[in-house]
Amino acid sequence: MGKIPNYEELEQRLARLERAIAKRPGVENSVSARRKRFQNLIDNALVGILRSTEEGKILLVNRKLANIFGFSSPQEFMEAIPNESILFLNPEDRENILQEMKEKGFVDGVEVEALGRNGRAIWISLSARVILKNSRAVFHEAFIVDVTKRKEAENSLHESEKRFRMLVEQAGDAFFIHDFNGKIFDVNRQACESLGYTREELLEMKISDVDIEVGHKRHKPRFWNSLSPGQYITFEGVHRRKDGSRFPVEVRLGRLNLGNQDLFLSLTRDITERKEAEKNLKRAFEEIKALKNRLEEENIYLRQEIEIRYRHEEIIGESLAIKKVLSAAEKVAKEDTCVLILGETGTGKELLARAIHNMSPRKGRSMIKVNCAALPATLIESELFGREKGAFTGAVSKQVGRFEAADGSTIFLDEVGDLPLELQAKLLRVLQDNKFERLGSPETISVDVRVIAATNHDLAELVKEKKFRRDLYYRLNVFPITLPPLRERREDIPLLVWAFVEEFSQSMGKSIKHIPKKTMEFLQGYSWPGNVRELRNVIERALILSNGETLIIDRLETEVSNPEEIKTLEEVERQYIVKTLEKTGWRVSGRRGAAELLGLKESTLRSRMKRLDIERPR
């Protein structure tokens, strides 16, 4: 503030000025005018001016100071506030200022809280000096500026910063402030917790130390330069924790222009749960799509099955033979073991297969049926294992095979003994590894299928004749069940008859209440080469012909009592020659040859073999 003249010097200057005025007329008026101008300058100064004694009594104030403290004039101020100590809101502030003035002789720009009119608190910036006389302090002069609005703005900003910081620290997202080189300047609590670092550790690191993309690329992302101040972009990345583990994040990056410094604000959110949810949702959609496709594919194969209505789904019978079969079926049903059902035509092999499936854990899905004898040899592979579009001529679309449609369920291979040799190897692989390839595709498909096979052939004999693979036979013959023919359980015939009568009576709208005893005895006495299927057909035909409440079987003696089929002489001859050849090991000539046993010349036998189309099996 410069050197302050002491009181003695001021009195000497004033005395010299008064002597000069006395010697020069007219100067007094000039000095008086100057004093008025000086006083006017003080009153209209832009800062408050105050003079007080060392004890604090106020001697002089200007209008600006009075206005700062809420008074209209200096006189009003001095009447209300005679002592400067009243101005200080905190007495300690005044003591500190007085102590500093005593030590230094002045204070400059000290901001303190003061007390205005009616107890209103205001903030002032205070500059003051000590006026000395004979090296002793006699007056204090102070220059005061009202800084209340600035202080309130600063306090408001400070409170706003505190609230913002509190929100940032409590936020669920992590944030990083870094410069263009990646140096981290600030982080919040969530950033520390999510990465496993302390705040001090992160402030010594770069953003590339935690952001894997930036770290791997060894340079700043391209879009850092393209961002304008205030602009934000959102993208996904991967962050690395202190322990080395990684997790996906969603980053919202913005550029901040703080004066001459460009900074970047990265708001990151852990999206591990969202990514898992997306994966689960995608997996669920794929499963739904697969199930939808499978359902559509199953519907193709099940249309004919849906049309077949099994009005009597249980296997009927109380004989010991059928009870043994049902007991074995019940035991094996709970396992995934391959079942081979043996029996003559019409004994109910398919019905037993359905019963096993319905008692198994796979009963929630439909059983897929394949009749190996009914499918053409050229198409059976694509029917079983599927094909790709263009796999062969005529394959205009992709087709899913029956094994794939039966995934998670049961497949019933009826008449498996008629399966071509070239497909038996592929079937063996499915049974061993549960894997196969579609026609025209190198992709391996894995399935979980339980196989139930059935045949009326003697597979062991077919193996000897090399018409059936030995390894496939042993794989299918894990749990064989032989269905007895109807002639071996004649006590079940009355139950079957009445069951078929009830079935057809409902569909035909008839009411059969009586079956003659003689009719039932004839039915039980017949050998039934066609087994249950033949019995069912006989009862259906009888109901068509019956008009009353009694079951009538027309021409029972001629149709039922002659069970053996009449064969032609050519068929009998052919069978006898084949049987003889088999007995001789297909040796035609020589001692104990077929020609000798038949009493024929060798040339005659060969001629008849050619006429009857008899060839030695390969």
Side-chain angles (χ1 to χ4, degrees), residues 178-215:
H178 58 87
D179 61 10
F180 192 79
N181 294 319
K183 177 69 175 67
I184 298 175
F185 286 96
D186 196 8
V187 295
N188 68 340
R189 176 187 56 82
Q190 183 61 31
C192 300
E193 292 181 356
S194 62
L195 296 173
Y197 292 99
T198 64
R199 179 183 176 86
E200 291 72 21
E201 288 174 329
L202 286 174
L203 295 182
E204 295 295 326
M205 298 166 63
K206 289 187 175 182
I207 196 69
S208 59
D209 295 328
V210 297
D211 192 308
I212 289 179
E213 287 194 18
V214 178

Side-chain angles (χ1 to χ4, degrees), residues 44 107 217 223 452 509 515 547:
N44 293 284
V107 293
K217 293 177 181 176
F223 44 75
I452 300 177
I515 300 177
N547 295 322

Side-chain angles (χ1 to χ4, degrees), residues 125-286:
S125 177
L126 174 66
S127 298
R129 64 179 180 175
V130 178
I131 300 176
L132 303 175
K133 181 178 181 181
N134 297 327
S135 301
R136 186 176 65 84
V138 292
F139 297 115
H140 293 163
E141 277 188 349
F143 303 92
I144 297 174
V145 177
D146 187 356
V147 293
T148 303
K149 291 184 178 180
R150 178 175 63 80
K151 203 68 176 178
E152 289 176 350
E154 290 177 356
N155 290 339
S156 177
L157 180 60
H158 180 65
E159 289 297 323
S160 178
E161 289 177 349
K162 285 177 60 178
R163 288 194 297 270
F164 174 74
R165 189 69 196 186
M166 185 181 300
L167 290 174
V168 167
E169 291 298 328
Q170 297 298 323
D173 296 338
F175 85 82
F176 305 83
I177 294 180
H178 58 87
D179 61 10
F180 192 79
N181 294 319
K183 177 69 175 67
I184 298 175
F185 286 96
D186 196 8
V187 295
N188 68 340
R189 176 187 56 82
Q190 183 61 31
C192 300
E193 292 181 356
S194 62
L195 296 173
Y197 292 99
T198 64
R199 179 183 176 86
E200 291 72 21
E201 288 174 329
L202 286 174
L203 295 182
E204 295 295 326
M205 298 166 63
K206 289 187 175 182
I207 196 69
S208 59
D209 295 328
V210 297
D211 192 308
I212 289 179
E213 287 194 18
V214 178
H216 282 180
K217 293 177 181 176
R218 303 294 182 190
H219 61 78
K220 296 173 286 297
R222 296 189 303 272
F223 44 75
W224 283 21
N225 274 328
S226 63
L227 279 178
S228 302
Q231 182 184 2
Y232 285 86
I233 58 171
T234 302
F235 57 94
E236 292 184 1
V238 179
H239 277 190
R240 178 174 45 230
R241 298 185 180 92
K242 186 176 181 179
D243 61 7
S245 60
R246 303 179 179 187
F247 61 99
V249 293
E250 182 183 76
V251 182
R252 181 172 171 80
L253 180 69
R255 187 169 179 175
L256 308 175
N257 189 355
L258 303 178
N260 296 327
Q261 188 177 21
D262 277 338
L263 296 177
F264 294 91
L265 172 62
S266 294
L267 297 174
T268 64
R269 175 174 296 178
D270 188 343
I271 55 174
T272 303
E273 292 184 0
R274 191 179 82 187
K275 285 294 183 181
E276 286 297 324
E278 289 176 356
K279 287 181 182 179
N280 293 336
L281 186 62
K282 183 179 179 181
R283 192 181 302 113
F285 276 127
E286 291 174 353

